[in-house]
Amino acid sequence: QVQHVCDAASVTLLAEVFNRLAQHECKLNITNCRVKDKPVGYVFAGRSVAFRVKVLCEALPTLWFSISFLQRTIGHIEHYVLLVAVMSVVTSFVCIAKASWSELMGGLEAVRAGWILKGGGGNSRKIVWGAVYRLTVLVLTQELLVANIVRFVGLWVCDSHTLNLSAGGCINLDSH
């Protein structure tokens, strides 16, 4: 639980340490269960709070505004400023994809554990609904990521550097 508090409070290094400890504890739990021939249950040391806070509430909106900044300034900025801005956008794509993969694995582990424990009563239902919630947030995140990728591609495809997502074409700035 301390790991999730650290994630939400942006104490990243401390949250990472607690996550590593939780992963180690999960591995010990799996080993002990297998030695004692017991069912493993739910053992994923996830970063769901970090995913929601860092990716959905911070990285994706920042990425959206970074691409909007590039749309408006791409023809008027120095090459090194453009390079730094493009590197920032690309590293955001990579970080969001990496966090999304981790969240997907956590959601799948919750589904697996819920299926294994389905006869276990209320606790298994909580795990399954938790997985549904996690995967729903993940789907929303992926939709926003794809929208950002399409907007980024529009920087280079459109003469105006602005792609209209709803109409599906480049915006002609001369007519507005």
Side-chain angles (χ1 to χ4, degrees), residues 71-116:
Q71 287 174 336
R72 297 289 150 231
T73 61
I74 196 167
H76 311 287
I77 57 177
E78 300 290 328
H79 293 295
Y80 68 90
V81 175
L82 177 63
L83 179 64
V84 169
V86 168
M87 286 175 45
S88 174
V89 168
V90 171
T91 56
S92 292
F93 287 148
V94 171
C95 291
I96 292 168
K98 181 181 176 283
S100 296
W101 178 256
S102 178
E103 187 65 9
L104 175 64
M105 292 298 104
L108 293 177
E109 173 62 16
V111 169
R112 182 198 70 81
W115 182 258
I116 289 171

Side-chain angles (χ1 to χ4, degrees), residues 50 58 68 119 130 145 156-157 175:
E58 290 178 16
S68 296
L145 178 62
W156 315 109
V157 172
S175 66

Side-chain angles (χ1 to χ4, degrees), residues 14-34:
L14 195 55
E16 194 65 36
V17 169
F18 281 119
N19 183 256
R20 297 287 181 210
L21 289 171
Q23 288 176 356
H24 180 70
E25 186 68 27
C26 287
K27 288 176 185 176
L28 287 174
N29 184 29
I30 291 170
T31 303
N32 289 337
C33 287
R34 288 188 177 149

Side-chain angles (χ1 to χ4, degrees), residues 5-65:
V5 171
C6 291
D7 276 332
S10 295
V11 186
T12 307
L13 182 60
L14 195 55
E16 194 65 36
V17 169
F18 281 119
N19 183 256
R20 297 287 181 210
L21 289 171
Q23 288 176 356
H24 180 70
E25 186 68 27
C26 287
K27 288 176 185 176
L28 287 174
N29 184 29
I30 291 170
T31 303
N32 289 337
C33 287
R34 288 188 177 149
V35 167
K36 296 176 183 175
D37 200 27
K38 290 183 176 181
V40 174
Y42 183 68
V43 294
F44 188 76
R47 302 291 298 271
S48 279
V49 172
F51 184 76
R52 287 190 304 269
V53 172
K54 299 290 185 198
V55 174
L56 190 59
C57 297
E58 290 178 16
L60 282 167
T62 301
L63 182 60
W64 188 274
F65 289 122

Side-chain angles (χ1 to χ4, degrees), residues 67 70-71 74 148-165 168-172:
I67 293 171
L70 279 172
Q71 287 174 336
I74 196 167
N148 275 310
I149 291 171
V150 169
R151 291 179 70 231
F152 186 68
V153 169
L155 286 170
W156 315 109
V157 172
C158 297
D159 291 334
S160 64
H161 308 294
T162 305
L163 182 68
N164 186 342
L165 293 177
C170 296
I171 292 178
N172 184 358

